[in-house]
Amino acid sequence: MAQKHVIRVLASEMAPIEGVEHIALAPWLAAGDIVWEGALPLCAVVGAADAAAFENSALARFLAASGVEVVGSFESALSAALVVEKQATATLRAESAALRQDFMRLQQSFAETEDFLNAAFAPVFTCARAWEPTEGAVSGAVSQRLPVGSIGLVAVDIWAMGAGSGQLRFGRLTGPSFSEAIALEAKGAGWVRAMLPTPLAGLAEDVVIRVEADFELGLSLPISLDYMHASGASAPLALRVWKGLPGCRIPEMEPRGERHVLPASNLPAPEVQGGTAKLMNGRDAYSLHPGHDGKMDFVFRGIEVAGAANIAAYTQNFGPEPVTLSLAATEGEVARRNMLPPETHVQCDLFIADAGKVDLHFKLRAASPLVSVFLRGVEIIPMAE
Amino acid sequence: MIAVVIPVWHHPVLVDEAVLSCLEQVGGPAAEIILVNDGCDLAQTRASLEGWAAHPNVTLLTQINQGLSAARNTGVEQALKNPACRGVFLLDADNMLDPHAFQLFEKLLDNEPESGWFYPQVDMFGMEVNYSNGNSWALSRLASINCSDAGSLVRREVFESGLRFDTAFKQGFEDWDFWLGAVERGFTGYPVIESFFRYRKRPESMVSGANRKDVLLRGQLRAKHKWLYGQSRLPDAWNAEYPRFCIISTDGGIKIGSNPATARTVSSDEFVGEVFHQRANPAESRFPPIMVFCAPELLDGLKDAKILDSLFYQIEGALRHAPVAVVSITDGPRSIRAHGKVDDDGTRLLEADIIALSMHHLNAALDKEDMAPIISYLIEGATVLPLEVSFEAPTLGDKPMGALMDAVGALLVSPMASVPFQQYANWRSPVFAPIAKDVAVCNAGGRPALAPLGQGPHVGFAIQVFQFGGVEKCLVALASALQKQGVTCHLFVYGVDDINAAEWMFEPFEKIWILKNAALREWGGSRYMGTNDAEHPGEMLMGDMLGPMTQMDVVVNCGAGVLNHELVELRARGIKLCAWEHITDSTPYGRSRGTPYITLGYEGLFDRILTCSQQLTTRMAAFGVPEAKLLPLPNGPGFESAVSARPKREGPLRVGFLGRFDPQKKVERFVEVAEALRGDFEFHLCGGEVLGKPARIPEWLSPQPPLKSRAELDAFYAAIDVLLMPSRDEGLPLTILEAQRAGVVVLATDVGAVAEAISDGESGILLDPANVVPQAITALQALDNDRNLLAQIAKNAAGKPDRWQQNATAFIKSLL
């Protein structure tokens, strides 16, 4: 990169100093409104012959306003500038050190938060938007603007109309992509997930997904917002958009086989007796309220388990009173009873020995109906058989 | 290539991020980064900038501190020196660009040639928040709020048009002023939908300061950009960009627009789509806030009666008070009346002839998702403001409740009904969308600015009572003459009395605006020169009055004193104002009073004061009105007639009286004359009680009721030879002029400007105000005895030229 002169001297006479650009004073003495291009002179050396003209000139006012010293010699100006530069360098080093310390503290806190989230209750996945599939489909290279900002974006599910493979990128409308191509593998009609290694962090941006696949992509219901339509279609792609904690590594969300999470929005609708269970879309959690007697039974039917596994239900008690929540695979049975102290997150576990579809029966018991419990989802953790 | 201009003052460290964000761009065109040190007094700034100046793509300029505008201008001048520079991005020293911004700039400059500048979404960091820029261009939005951040890319041509940042805006809003200047020069902005610019929001940013000075700075903007705020440009833009009504007919037709007569037709699919958009992103939607359901033939009838716009304006006003307005139509003289208060009788919807809903109400109902609960909510969940409208022979058509149910049905059966609209909400916070009150700040009186009118000029006449009176006939005659000379006239009847006028009196008017409210006829205000002023009717009602008048080029106030209080609002918009004066009245004690005195109190507001006679002109001038401001429009006959001078006839002389039976017209003098000459003459008395103590009329005179049509007047004049007008006070009465035209000899008291119409002994006979009855008896006997004299005087008086065409010409020359 070609560097331009950074040390300049404005002077009545030539200054024979190597590496210093000399600018003649005389032409500037007659100038009116001054706009100075480039670095300001380190100093102005005004000779006796120019002193009178300089005194009331626009140049004199400009230099005074700009902090350019008018001095008697180059040497004294250079010496003073050197001191200033050294002080500035020391200041910058101190500022950098402070930033490094802040960064380390931030990292430490972040790591603690990550551990806490993993150990205490669960990484939170939120289904930020869900557009259900219909009969329509589109094929080829398809782009789709997402209805969410980039912060925390971790995965999208698209609807495959049949088996096949392809790839998906999280990108910008203009400019570089957020991610490398993510491979897609569809085993048949159903949701196919493309997941980033970590949720996107930084400043919020618009996001578009670009899909190339040899299977057809399912469309959602038509809407009138043209800019939300998939390219080449008159409806948006069927889509589920997932968000997590920006920058946190999170467990896999694969729906089968491996350890995976079923957020509330992915659970089947519960059958409820003696209370209400309402899915809070914005929080991706079921809000549970018992009946007037403080009791509530509910069941999620047909949770698929590939083999022996521990099922962990992630709950949060908002109220000031303790709540008891028991979990069983058979109606009427009480396999595990968990106490949910006030204002805590609690993981409720249930061991399942065999593969198959499991019904998760919950019994919530409280001293009064005035309690509020969130069920954020369940995690299927495969166990050695 | 492009240029980025970064003015710097007191951001010696943060500017590093700004510059770095420019130098670390990925792809895109070449760029010159122009740093303008605006005389920053911090040595650190100088050191920082001189460091960056070493980069070959960076130019550093330094000047004595002159403020942000001047610094930007300095940078722009530098940028324009390079002929290859296609556009300038304005980057403040504490803000940043995303790494792909330059790529985007090139794309925008290539693909959007019609746009003058490109403005970002409001993506803030520091105080983190993301606002949508609206995703579509709207001048009315820019006029209401500075939705275009200074961090915009400006095409070279905008600067080449001579536009620069105004250094007078030192407290902020200099960028807003710049964008408005660009629009004035014919450029439009382009809201960029994707992120590329980061605004560092700090509690103490310059804009925060500007917000605190909002009122002052907005005033500065408005004063400078009168082309937008002072005339019809902003209302025109707002009405086009944000249509106010969705009109659904009982025949299934759907129209959207601000003017019911010219609204555009939309398909059912478009309607459903727009409703969906409005529910998903209300701040970005242009769907109207009001839905009106009615039969098409009823709309046609209202249009033919010229009160369609007035009714819609009142519907809009009614929805300030309740989410639903229902209109019932009856047969009768033109009238629009709003009930004073709302009720919760939603069953009114079932019988209404017109239903108007706010979209808030419909949206709340649509949340119920199924037909039955939706309709139930629409009816039971509504508070309702009833409006009563009448006009002659209305064709009502089907009741609109069915159309409302059909519309709801169309929304429910659409596939979009199954889509949770919340799933499509913009992830950025909603942008501000200009609503009526924002635009109305520039309009008069806090009511929505109306849809643009067609070719003008447009003259509005405001009057409190519109019946078959003299002032009304003058108004109609002038409007008719103006119409013939290419002027479009509008009638504003703002009062409490029923309109009771023949259909021909409405002919010269394009539209009729009616506002009926008791507060519009209260003359209990403070006294000026011995005459009570009208009372101020309150801000809301005043807004209702002034709003439609903002469409006029000239407003003529024909005695609607209540208007005077806020006419200044119209004047501020460049609308010319006139008062039209006809007569001063007398109190029972003989003291002169009347609206001319009130007009003197507001003289400074008026461009012209119109007078009906030379006598009143002289009087107004004597009271201090500059002569140049006075425009005499001498009265002529108040209607056109085929009747002219009649042949000489024998038989008893027929003497008539035409007018109110009140102290001013002095009908008792006529009675006295009639009693004296009873038997030898025929007497025809026509009129009725209006004000004051009832006059004693002997039975044998058998008075006719007041006349209400041209034909009745013609018949009356044809039935008399002499008109006796023994009035106490007069201006220049139309009755004299109309009688003269019909070949009737007029005997009138020599008061007011009567002498301007009657040359004594030649074109009529003047009676001494102190000796009216004896002189009238003598004169009548003389005329009875000398029928040649009678015929000669009648002939002299008839055949005058059409005063109203001359008056219209003078009006146009003086005001348009």
Side-chain angles (χ1 to χ4, degrees):
Chain A
M1 182 191 304
Q3 291 287 314
K4 293 183 280 188
H5 280 292
V6 289
I7 300 179
R8 307 166 121 183
V9 172
L10 183 65
S12 298
E13 296 172 5
M14 278 292 287
I17 304 171
E18 196 174 335
V20 173
E21 181 189 358
H22 170 261
I23 299 170
L25 180 73
W28 288 95
L29 288 175
D33 290 338
I34 292 176
V35 176
W36 187 276
E37 185 170 346
L40 286 167
L42 182 67
C43 62
V45 184
V46 181
D50 293 325
F54 177 78
E55 192 176 0
N56 293 314
S57 66
L59 178 64
R61 290 192 295 277
F62 173 77
L63 294 177
S66 305
V68 176
E69 281 193 85
V70 180
V71 295
S73 74
F74 302 130
E75 291 74 9
S76 60
L78 285 171
S79 166
L82 189 58
V83 172
V84 169
E85 285 300 320
K86 285 191 169 183
Q87 287 171 342
T89 304
T91 304
L92 283 174
R93 293 177 72 90
E95 288 169 356
S96 297
L99 275 179
R100 270 197 303 278
Q101 285 175 9
D102 278 353
F103 177 75
M104 290 308 295
R105 275 196 289 269
L106 203 62
Q107 279 287 14
Q108 185 67 26
S109 301
F110 200 168
E112 293 294 335
T113 306
E114 217 171 24
D115 287 348
F116 175 80
L117 292 174
N118 282 305
F121 56 107
V124 175
F125 303 109
T126 298
C127 183
R129 301 287 171 100
W131 302 341
E132 295 305 316
T134 55
E135 293 170 357
V138 63
S139 58
V142 179
S143 62
Q144 168 72 55
R145 191 175 165 189
L146 296 186
V148 297
S150 59
I151 295 181
L153 181 65
V154 65
V156 296
D157 300 341
I158 55 174
W159 187 262
M161 301 296 284
S165 60
Q167 61 178 28
L168 181 150
R169 285 175 196 271
F170 291 87
R172 296 179 169 90
L173 292 162
T174 306
S177 294
F178 291 101
S179 72
E180 298 292 317
I182 298 168
L184 301 171
E185 199 64 46
K187 292 172 181 159
W191 290 111
V192 181
R193 177 159 298 164
M195 187 160 149
L196 291 159
T198 55
L200 296 178
L203 299 171
E205 293 189 58
D206 300 279
V207 185
V208 62
I209 55 167
R210 297 191 172 89
V211 186
E212 290 178 39
D214 58 11
F215 54 84
E216 284 190 312
L217 305 175
L219 292 172
S220 187
L221 285 163
I223 57 165
S224 57
L225 310 177
D226 294 349
Y227 59 87
M228 277 297 170
H229 291 171
S231 59
S234 54
L237 287 181
L239 206 63
R240 292 193 304 206
V241 182
W242 298 92
K243 283 203 163 192
L245 289 172
C248 278
R249 190 189 63 76
I250 55 173
E252 288 296 310
M253 296 167 68
E254 290 302 318
R256 288 186 174 80
E258 300 300 315
R259 172 176 177 153
H260 63 278
V261 171
L262 289 172
S265 56
N266 271 21
L267 291 170
E271 295 169 16
V272 182
Q273 281 189 323
T276 60
K278 185 176 179 187
L279 181 62
M280 311 289 284
N281 271 324
R283 297 178 180 232
D284 203 356
Y286 273 101
S287 175
L288 310 171
H289 292 280
H292 60 87
D293 56 357
K295 295 178 181 175
M296 175 185 187
D297 295 350
F298 56 101
V299 57
F300 295 100
R301 296 193 186 278
I303 307 294
E304 204 160 311
V305 180
N310 183 60
I311 294 182
Y314 296 112
T315 64
Q316 185 176 2
N317 178 9
F318 279 100
E321 298 173 11
V323 175
T324 304
L325 187 67
S326 63
L327 178 56
T330 310
E331 192 167 6
E333 182 186 338
V334 178
R336 289 289 297 272
R337 180 177 285 119
N338 302 278
M339 177 66 79
L340 279 58
E343 298 184 351
T344 55
H345 299 278
V346 172
Q347 177 177 325
C348 306
D349 293 309
L350 175 68
F351 179 72
I352 302 294
D354 301 315
K357 291 193 172 178
V358 179
D359 295 342
L360 298 180
H361 295 267
F362 289 87
K363 286 183 187 293
L364 189 153
R365 297 292 181 266
S368 81
L370 303 175
V371 298
S372 177
V373 174
F374 268 17
L375 174 66
R376 296 188 174 278
V378 299
E379 186 170 10
I380 316 292
I381 306 163
M383 307 291 283
E385 296 189 34
Chain B
M1 77 165 285
I2 59 161
V4 180
V5 170
I6 309 177
V8 188
W9 191 82
H10 277 204
H11 283 311
V13 180
L14 300 182
V15 70
D16 292 343
E17 291 170 67
V19 177
L20 198 61
S21 75
C22 296
L23 296 178
E24 292 190 337
Q25 286 291 308
V26 180
E32 180 184 13
I33 317 302
I34 302 168
L35 300 170
V36 183
N37 181 351
D38 188 30
C40 181
D41 53 353
L42 303 176
Q44 197 181 6
T45 300
R46 181 178 158 190
S48 167
L49 298 187
E50 291 185 358
W52 288 115
H55 194 283
N57 295 348
V58 175
T59 301
L60 170 62
L61 305 173
T62 304
Q63 64 183 24
I64 288 180
N65 179 252
Q66 295 172 50
L68 183 56
S69 291
R72 283 193 186 130
N73 291 340
T74 297
V76 167
E77 300 303 340
Q78 172 70 22
L80 297 180
K81 286 177 187 169
N82 186 341
C85 176
R86 299 176 67 196
V88 177
F89 186 81
L90 304 159
L91 182 62
D92 288 352
D94 51 345
N95 297 335
M96 295 189 302
L97 286 169
D98 283 354
H100 56 281
F102 286 6
Q103 282 185 50
L104 175 63
F105 293 168
E106 189 166 45
K107 201 164 78 174
L108 292 169
L109 291 169
D110 288 343
N111 297 345
E112 305 297 337
E114 302 299 319
S115 298
W117 81 96
F118 306 89
Y119 57 93
Q121 304 275 18
V122 189
D123 291 328
M124 297 177 174
F125 68 109
M127 292 171 71
E128 289 169 32
V129 65
N130 301 85
Y131 286 112
S132 163
N133 61 13
N135 284 353
S136 59
W137 163 250
L139 172 58
S140 55
R141 183 189 292 131
L142 181 66
S144 306
I145 190 171
N146 187 12
C147 54
S148 174
D149 192 273
S152 296
L153 176 68
V154 185
R155 202 178 277 283
R156 181 187 186 100
E157 287 79 357
V158 174
F159 295 112
E160 286 183 335
S161 74
L163 185 64
R164 294 291 184 275
F165 289 91
D166 188 343
T167 54
F169 285 84
K170 291 195 184 301
Q171 307 284 324
F173 287 0
E174 76 295 327
D175 48 350
W176 195 355
D177 165 70
F178 183 86
W179 308 132
L180 294 178
V183 176
E184 187 180 11
R185 284 164 170 76
F187 298 100
T188 54
Y190 179 96
V192 181
I193 60 167
E194 58 191 283
S195 330
F196 68 88
F197 168 72
R198 304 290 159 178
Y199 179 99
R200 187 188 306 266
K201 180 66 175 173
R202 303 202 296 181
E204 278 301 320
S205 70
M206 185 174 182
V207 170
S208 297
N211 288 340
R212 285 197 292 276
K213 301 179 186 90
D214 191 83
V215 174
L216 280 176
L217 291 172
R218 280 177 184 265
Q220 193 178 352
L221 272 182
R222 287 175 195 286
K224 180 173 175 184
H225 296 282
K226 288 202 171 89
W227 63 273
L228 175 64
Y229 295 106
Q231 298 169 18
S232 63
R233 181 73 185 274
L234 177 54
D236 291 358
W238 181 67
N239 279 287
E241 292 167 348
Y242 292 89
R244 290 161 34 221
F245 302 107
C246 174
I247 304 163
I248 301 190
S249 299
T250 50
D251 63 2
I254 305 173
K255 289 183 172 184
I256 287 178
S258 291
N259 184 334
T262 57
R264 70 184 166 91
T265 299
V266 298
S267 69
S268 180
D269 286 347
E270 282 177 276
F271 164 72
V272 172
E274 294 229 21
V275 170
F276 179 85
H277 191 175
Q278 179 270 145
R279 281 166 71 71
N281 290 302
E284 292 176 17
S285 162
R286 307 288 176 93
F287 190 75
I290 296 173
M291 295 183 72
V292 180
F293 300 86
C294 66
E297 51 268 50
L298 184 51
L299 273 189
D300 291 343
L302 288 160
K303 187 179 171 193
D304 292 344
K306 304 182 179 183
I307 59 173
L308 179 62
D309 286 31
S310 184
L311 174 60
F312 269 63
Y313 197 68
Q314 292 217 29
I315 283 173
E316 199 171 39
L319 293 183
R320 290 174 299 183
H321 307 288
V324 179
V326 294
V327 181
S328 55
I329 308 277
T330 54
D331 190 356
R334 285 173 180 77
S335 173
I336 301 174
R337 191 168 78 88
H339 279 229
K341 54 186 178 181
V342 300
D343 61 43
D344 56 3
D345 183 6
T347 58
R348 289 176 184 275
L349 272 72
L350 303 174
E351 291 305 315
D353 296 306
I354 298 174
I355 298 171
L357 300 179
S358 77
M359 273 310 290
H360 292 300
H361 188 57
L362 184 62
N363 279 334
L366 290 174
D367 286 344
K368 308 292 176 195
E369 294 182 349
D370 288 322
M371 190 71 174
I374 289 174
I375 297 301
S376 171
Y377 182 86
L378 283 173
I379 294 172
E380 292 164 13
T383 48
V384 180
L385 185 77
L387 291 161
E388 291 172 359
V389 174
S390 62
F391 64 100
E392 286 185 7
T395 305
L396 297 179
D398 295 332
K399 297 284 183 191
M401 191 62 202
L404 172 54
M405 294 176 70
D406 289 346
V408 171
L411 292 170
L412 290 182
V413 299
S414 159
M416 271 181 264
S418 317
V419 181
F421 62 86
Q422 299 92 335
Q423 291 283 335
Y424 290 90
N426 193 328
W427 65 271
R428 290 185 172 88
S429 301
V431 70
F432 167 92
I435 57 173
K437 76 176 177 58
D438 301 303
V439 180
V441 171
C442 321
N443 193 12
R447 278 304 304 274
L450 295 176
L453 291 173
Q455 285 294 310
H458 296 272
V459 176
F461 293 90
I463 193 165
Q464 283 189 326
V465 180
F466 198 73
Q467 296 181 353
F468 196 58
V471 174
E472 292 94 309
K473 284 195 284 182
C474 288
L475 192 161
V476 171
L478 178 60
S480 184
L482 285 169
Q483 188 191 34
K484 285 178 185 152
Q485 297 192 34
V487 177
T488 306
C489 295
H490 305 254
L491 178 64
F492 297 87
V493 185
Y494 290 163
V496 67
D497 297 308
D498 289 334
I499 292 177
N500 191 5
E503 199 55 34
W504 65 269
M505 294 180 72
F506 298 103
E507 281 170 11
F509 301 106
E510 175 86 0
K511 289 174 184 170
I512 298 157
W513 297 81
I514 301 170
L515 200 58
K516 201 169 174 181
N517 192 302
L520 299 179
R521 226 189 156 183
E522 294 294 336
W523 290 90
S526 53
R527 211 157 51 201
Y528 182 75
M529 288 183 72
T531 298
N532 282 87
D533 195 357
E535 287 183 53
H536 195 297
E539 289 298 324
M540 195 172 281
L541 193 54
M542 185 60 90
D544 293 348
M545 297 169 76
L546 293 176
M549 290 183 163
T550 57
Q551 300 180 112
M552 301 296 113
D553 298 299
V554 178
V555 168
V556 181
N557 188 0
C558 308
V562 67
L563 270 176
N564 291 341
H565 289 288
E566 302 287 350
L567 278 178
V568 66
E569 292 259 16
L570 301 182
R571 190 176 177 81
R573 295 174 52 87
I575 296 168
K576 290 183 178 168
L577 302 174
C578 302
W580 194 357
E581 297 304 332
H582 291 269
I583 187 174
T584 56
D585 189 11
S586 294
T587 66
Y589 297 98
R591 181 174 63 81
S592 176
R593 67 177 178 189
T595 58
Y597 294 106
I598 297 298
T599 294
L600 290 171
Y602 291 95
E603 176 254 316
L605 278 178
F606 293 110
D607 295 277
R608 292 287 182 276
I609 294 175
L610 317 180
T611 55
C612 70
S613 65
Q614 192 55 50
Q615 185 258 0
L616 188 56
T617 309
T618 306
R619 195 170 174 80
M620 297 298 275
F623 278 118
V625 179
E627 283 181 9
K629 214 177 232 194
L630 289 163
L631 180 62
L633 302 178
N635 282 351
F639 63 95
E640 292 180 0
S641 171
V643 177
S644 58
R646 78 283 303 280
K648 195 167 75 176
R649 62 175 284 278
E650 300 301 325
L653 197 67
R654 303 167 302 176
V655 183
F657 176 93
L658 184 62
R660 302 186 303 274
F661 298 168
D662 69 3
Q664 182 209 327
K665 295 292 182 185
K666 285 285 182 192
V667 68
E668 60 269 30
R669 288 175 176 167
F670 179 86
V671 172
E672 204 176 332
V673 171
E675 296 275 19
L677 299 177
R678 182 177 180 184
D680 300 328
F681 292 73
E682 282 182 18
F683 289 94
H684 299 261
L685 180 59
C686 179
E689 307 282 353
V690 176
L691 301 166
K693 196 170 72 174
R696 190 190 62 80
I697 310 289
E699 276 186 21
W700 68 269
L701 274 172
S702 316
Q704 285 178 248
L707 307 180
K708 291 181 178 175
S709 73
R710 290 177 290 190
E712 286 177 341
L713 269 176
D714 282 343
F716 181 79
Y717 290 132
I720 61 173
D721 303 305
V722 176
L723 178 76
L724 176 56
M725 187 176 274
S727 308
R728 183 192 67 197
D729 304 297
E730 282 296 351
L732 181 51
L734 294 186
T735 309
I736 293 178
L737 305 167
E738 289 162 2
Q740 287 177 327
R741 179 179 61 184
V744 174
V745 172
V746 179
L747 276 64
T749 319
D750 185 7
V751 290
V754 168
E756 290 177 34
I758 295 175
S759 176
D760 191 22
E762 288 184 19
S763 55
I765 294 173
L766 293 173
L767 305 172
D768 181 353
N771 204 20
V772 173
V773 173
Q775 279 195 7
I777 291 170
T778 304
L780 286 171
Q781 287 170 331
L783 291 171
D784 186 33
N785 293 334
D786 187 349
R787 296 301 174 99
N788 287 331
L789 177 64
L790 180 78
Q792 187 57 49
I793 292 175
K795 190 178 172 188
N796 292 344
K800 290 179 183 172
D802 181 352
R803 287 293 329 174
W804 291 112
Q805 284 303 329
Q806 293 176 26
N807 287 342
T809 304
F811 183 95
I812 291 167
K813 189 177 171 190
S814 181
L815 284 153
L816 296 172

